[in-house]
Amino acid sequence: MQNFATQSLQDIQQQVPIISDKALVDLVNGIQVNQDLIRFRQNRGFIGRLFDGITGSDRDRQILTDSNFNVGMQALHQWVLALSDNLRISNVALEITQTKLLEARNAIRNHRQELDLLNQITDRLQIQLNNHEHRIHNLEQRVYRIETIQQIGEIIAAWQSGRTYQGFHWSVQIAFVIREIVDFALADYERTTNDRQLRPKIIDQLISASRQIPDHAFSLVTLLNLAHQDTIEENRELAQALLEVRSLPPSRLLEMPYLFTLGTTLEFAGLPEEARPQDPAKTAFELCRRDLGVIYPATDKKEFIEHIIKETASDRLSFRNSF
Amino acid sequence: MNPKIGLVLAGGGAKGAYQAGAIKYLAEIDFVPHIIAGSSIGALNGAVLAANLPFRQAADRLDLLWTDLGAANIIQPDRGEIAQLASYIIQTSLPTFGAWATKLLESIGIFSNTKSVFDPEPIETFLRRAVDAQQLRDGIELWVAVFPSLNIPRFRYDPAMLVIDMIRAKMGQDAHWLHVQNANSDRQLYDILLASAAIPLAFPQREINGNIYVDGGFADNVPLGALAAQGCTHAIVIHLENGAVWNRHKFPNQTVIEIRPQDPINKSELPLYGDAITFLDFSRDRIELLKQRGYADAKACLEPILKTLTIERDRKTSLNLLQVRTQQIADDSPVY
């Protein structure tokens, strides 16, 4: 469909006069020819002027000059018309271009408004999405926490029911159960969620499952000596191997004084009688105090469990994060 | 319609060197004519250009020939002929022209007893050396203007006959335009060229197909009409006189560019005498001066014309582009 501007352009195109090369050449070269004729007449001497008058060539030159001038003026007029039409076409083109520009600007403006609206909707959706993500994340964490608690519960229940770690002293069992809890549930959970709140729950469950251990304080050295003595003969070597600490680097040992003392006690107790210290736990305790620092001679089952959980979990986390 | 571009070379004797300079510039800007017309010395120049293609090479050849012409000094008056001519001219010329005619004869050193002041042999030899007949037949189409002189048996061509021919020309006797390549023999081909340059009294008239011809400049010194008759659409005309009375507007169907001498080209301002002594001055210095002026004038003439045409063509091109682009944008459906 043609609009007004298109129609105008077509109308004007049909009116454009075309100035020919001949007209332009006549204009420019006519000026040059006239310059020659005028110069000739100006410089003509008396005899020459007389001669030209007699032969009529002066009049011929005058006529030639006039006709060149006239043709030049006609060419100039054609050229002015051509330039005027050029200007008219340029104006129409400009008008069409401006119209289209305004149309494009309006389109851009409308588009911009739509874009702003879309941005607002997007922002709202983003907020909702974030909320949902947050909720899902919380739900996932809760599910994860429940699953972990369930796993921990199952591990403790299996131990409590006597299906696991029988034939070991309670302290060794605690070390094994806690290691299983950390390796199979707690370490991943804490690393993923940074949540340390499961530890008190585990401690409570383990205390609850350790009714055979008195609630009052007792000597750590005594407890550790019992760890060797109350472990049945065929499990001692296994306990000693699983809890050995001598192969660990000193930096890790610094963070696990109770596990060090327990493992070292079992190692000393497993030595031949002639090489075995008289009191393996006491020797291990003193060795710990000398090399690692903080450890107390008296403890109770809660404190012991807390230390073993803290040391096992921290060591596993550090060890995994080092990769 | 394809343009047919012509080159028209006016007559003017030794002033033809001016055309050699002008043509050198034309060749430099890659001008190549489809057809050439010449009168008198313009015919000889045209023959050199038509026969020595390509055109740029022909322009160089023409330039060199004019240099050689000045050095060889082959245009020599036949002094044995001139004494008789002197008395004839003084006695038979119109009283008005007597003084100048006398001066003319004195200036070129007169006295003897033949029909022409100059010995035609050297110029004929020079022409045959400069223009190969076969190359000319194969070259650019060439037309020359000749004037049919009265052919009266037993009458010699003398100053009285010259005056009669001048009167006939003034009374409307047209020049003839001969197509050089139509000559039926090499001899006739050279005769046609020499006939166009057969300045009365200076060189002998020539007989071609039963007609006696002399210098075409008598009646048509600028033979653009010959080219217009052949469908020429554009032409460059190189004049050899200041203030030449030649009307370009008689050729409304041709686009004509005239190259005219800007500075005085004659050695004297005196009418006839000035023409005559310049007409016959083939000296080396004069030829070099005229060539330089021809080159400079052609450049001064063509440059503003070419610049104007280029500007106008660019304007039309940009206008067309504007229209096309505007049409495209006008036809383009709204973006929203």
Side-chain angles (χ1 to χ4, degrees):
Chain A
M1 180 179 290
Q2 291 180 334
N3 58 27
F4 175 74
T6 309
Q7 189 62 46
S8 300
L9 182 67
Q10 287 178 347
D11 289 347
I12 285 180
Q13 277 176 314
Q14 290 165 4
Q15 296 171 17
V16 176
I18 296 174
I19 182 159
S20 64
D21 286 353
K22 177 174 170 53
L24 287 176
V25 170
D26 281 346
L27 174 64
V28 181
N29 194 221
I31 294 169
Q32 295 166 339
V33 171
N34 273 4
Q35 280 173 345
D36 172 49
L37 295 172
I38 292 167
R39 192 186 304 116
F40 181 85
R41 294 179 73 199
Q42 281 177 336
N43 296 336
R44 200 65 164 152
F46 173 75
I47 296 174
R49 288 201 303 274
L50 193 63
F51 183 80
D52 290 344
I54 293 169
T55 59
S57 56
D58 188 61
R59 182 174 174 276
D60 292 342
R61 287 190 183 93
Q62 178 65 54
I63 292 170
L64 208 50
T65 306
D66 293 346
S67 66
N68 281 338
F69 179 76
N70 197 36
V71 169
M73 290 293 281
Q74 287 172 356
L76 207 54
H77 181 228
Q78 282 182 32
W79 207 2
V80 169
L81 285 180
L83 292 175
S84 298
D85 273 328
N86 194 150
L87 184 62
R88 280 206 302 154
I89 289 172
S90 297
N91 286 343
V92 172
L94 195 58
E95 181 194 337
I96 291 172
T97 307
Q98 284 177 339
T99 305
K100 290 290 179 179
L101 179 63
L102 286 172
E103 180 188 304
R105 284 176 63 88
N106 280 333
I108 291 169
R109 194 174 292 113
N110 291 338
H111 192 63
R112 181 61 187 268
Q113 287 174 354
E114 285 183 355
L115 206 58
D116 288 345
L117 194 60
L118 283 174
N119 281 338
Q120 289 174 10
I121 294 170
T122 306
D123 288 346
R124 283 203 296 272
L125 286 174
Q126 186 66 46
I127 291 168
Q128 289 180 357
L129 186 64
N130 289 342
N131 290 338
H132 285 301
E133 276 188 352
H134 186 63
R135 288 177 61 191
I136 289 169
H137 180 68
N138 288 341
L139 286 172
E140 282 178 348
Q141 280 206 334
R142 285 178 64 185
V143 170
Y144 191 19
R145 180 185 169 89
I146 290 168
E147 285 177 351
T148 306
I149 289 170
Q150 193 176 352
Q151 278 182 306
I152 291 168
E154 286 171 1
I155 290 169
I156 292 173
W159 170 59
Q160 195 173 10
S161 65
R163 280 186 283 122
T164 55
Y165 311 123
Q166 293 306 300
F168 295 97
H169 178 256
W170 171 83
S171 61
V172 176
Q173 287 184 8
I174 284 294
F176 284 165
V177 169
I178 289 174
R179 180 180 289 184
E180 187 183 354
I181 289 169
V182 169
D183 284 348
F184 291 96
L186 188 66
D188 282 342
Y189 176 78
E190 289 191 342
R191 192 165 57 85
T192 307
T193 65
N194 263 337
D195 179 16
R196 302 283 186 271
Q197 298 306 312
L198 284 184
R199 290 186 190 184
K201 194 174 184 67
I202 295 168
I203 291 167
D204 289 345
Q205 284 182 275
L206 289 176
I207 289 171
S208 175
S210 303
R211 295 186 189 284
Q212 72 277 24
I213 305 300
D215 291 335
H216 59 75
F218 46 75
S219 162
L220 178 62
V221 170
T222 304
L223 180 69
L224 295 181
N225 277 330
L226 287 173
H228 174 69
Q229 292 162 11
D230 286 358
T231 296
I232 61 174
E233 184 70 26
E234 60 266 30
N235 285 353
R236 283 178 183 165
E237 197 174 347
L238 178 61
Q240 183 186 325
L242 290 175
L243 295 173
E244 77 83 26
V245 291
R246 200 151 42 85
S247 62
L248 299 179
S251 59
R252 286 177 66 183
L253 293 176
L254 282 171
E255 302 298 326
M256 45 195 296
Y258 282 82
L259 285 172
F260 170 81
T261 310
L262 175 61
T264 306
T265 300
L266 293 174
E267 191 175 358
F268 284 163
L271 289 172
E273 194 171 349
E274 64 272 15
R276 184 188 310 151
Q278 190 174 4
D279 186 341
K282 179 70 175 172
T283 306
F285 179 80
E286 291 303 332
L287 205 56
C288 179
R289 291 192 72 174
R290 188 196 69 188
D291 294 339
L292 305 181
V294 183
I295 189 167
Y296 301 101
T299 188
D300 58 31
K301 63 180 178 184
K302 182 184 177 189
E303 188 189 66
F304 183 77
I305 291 169
E306 281 177 352
H307 280 298
I308 297 301
I309 284 183
K310 181 187 170 199
E311 288 178 11
T312 305
S314 299
D315 182 59
R316 286 294 189 272
L317 277 174
S318 304
F319 185 67
R320 291 189 182 190
N321 289 340
S322 66
F323 291 104
Chain B
M1 187 177 70
N2 290 331
K4 188 170 185 179
I5 299 169
L7 175 65
V8 181
L9 304 172
K15 291 185 283 185
Y18 177 89
Q19 290 172 343
I23 287 163
K24 189 175 182 183
Y25 174 75
L26 295 181
E28 282 179 6
I29 59 170
D30 294 328
F31 170 81
V32 178
H34 299 117
I35 186 168
I36 299 173
S39 183
S40 190
I41 195 68
L44 302 184
N45 281 340
V48 174
L49 294 172
N52 291 283
L53 300 179
F55 192 74
R56 186 174 280 223
Q57 182 182 305
D60 290 340
R61 172 97 170 125
L62 183 65
D63 182 71
L64 192 62
L65 278 172
W66 273 98
T67 302
D68 291 346
L69 201 61
N73 198 22
I74 61 170
I75 312 293
Q76 289 293 334
D78 181 350
R79 293 171 187 278
E81 177 74 12
I82 295 175
Q84 185 181 359
L85 275 172
S87 59
Y88 257 127
I89 289 170
I90 294 166
Q91 289 165 21
T92 59
S93 295
L94 294 174
T96 312
F97 303 144
W100 291 290
T102 305
K103 273 193 168 184
L104 161 66
L105 295 170
E106 285 173 356
S107 68
I108 53 182
I110 295 190
F111 298 147
S112 178
N113 169 19
T114 61
K115 291 189 288 184
S116 61
V117 176
F118 292 93
D119 179 4
E121 181 60 26
I123 191 69
E124 285 185 29
T125 306
F126 194 84
L127 179 63
R128 286 176 182 276
R129 207 173 70 232
V131 178
D132 178 85
Q134 189 53 46
Q135 284 183 359
L136 181 54
R137 289 181 196 281
D138 298 337
I140 299 172
E141 184 178 345
L142 176 65
W143 291 75
V144 299
V146 290
F147 186 77
S149 180
L150 275 182
N151 185 12
I152 304 172
R154 297 192 301 278
F155 271 73
R156 292 169 49 174
Y157 199 88
D158 59 16
M161 194 68 81
L162 167 62
V163 172
I164 292 170
D165 280 343
M166 289 171 71
I167 293 170
R168 286 176 64 231
K170 283 289 179 190
M171 295 297 288
Q173 170 63 52
D174 288 333
H176 289 182
W177 300 320
L178 302 183
H179 184 197
V180 176
Q181 279 91 353
N182 274 352
N184 53 28
S185 66
D186 288 355
R187 174 70 213 174
Q188 191 178 63
L189 183 143
Y190 289 116
D191 274 348
I192 291 172
L193 295 174
L194 290 167
S196 183
I199 305 165
L201 301 182
F203 291 105
Q205 66 269 43
R206 301 278 165 169
E207 181 181 340
I208 298 162
N209 295 336
N211 293 319
I212 300 295
Y213 289 114
V214 294
D215 193 324
F218 256 123
D220 189 3
N221 201 37
V222 184
L224 175 58
L227 303 192
Q230 302 305 314
C232 174
T233 57
H234 296 70
I236 292 181
V237 175
I238 305 177
H239 293 282
L240 291 180
E241 60 177 313
N242 299 107
V245 182
W246 183 78
N247 190 354
R248 61 196 286 134
H249 307 300
K250 286 182 179 174
F251 301 93
N253 298 320
Q254 280 72 39
T255 302
V256 181
I257 295 175
E258 294 180 66
I259 298 172
R260 289 171 173 250
Q262 299 297 302
D263 296 319
I265 198 168
N266 284 350
K267 294 171 72 177
S268 167
E269 290 300 312
L270 284 176
L272 294 183
Y273 169 72
D275 285 329
I277 60 170
T278 311
F279 215 83
L280 301 169
D281 186 353
F282 287 86
S283 65
R284 179 167 28 194
D285 292 345
R286 182 71 184 160
I287 284 172
E288 286 307 313
L289 175 67
L290 289 174
K291 284 199 297 187
Q292 288 171 15
R293 285 192 185 175
Y295 183 92
D297 289 349
K299 188 175 182 186
C301 174
L302 267 298
E303 276 183 346
I305 293 172
L306 294 176
K307 189 176 178 182
T308 304
L309 292 175
T310 303
I311 289 171
E312 178 60 11
R313 190 181 57 225
D314 290 348
R315 182 188 70 81
K316 286 176 183 169
T317 303
S318 69
L319 179 63
N320 288 338
L321 191 63
L322 176 72
Q323 289 174 335
V324 170
R325 290 276 186 272
T326 306
Q327 196 66 58
Q328 284 176 351
I329 200 171
D331 293 342
D332 192 27
S333 55
V335 293
Y336 190 78

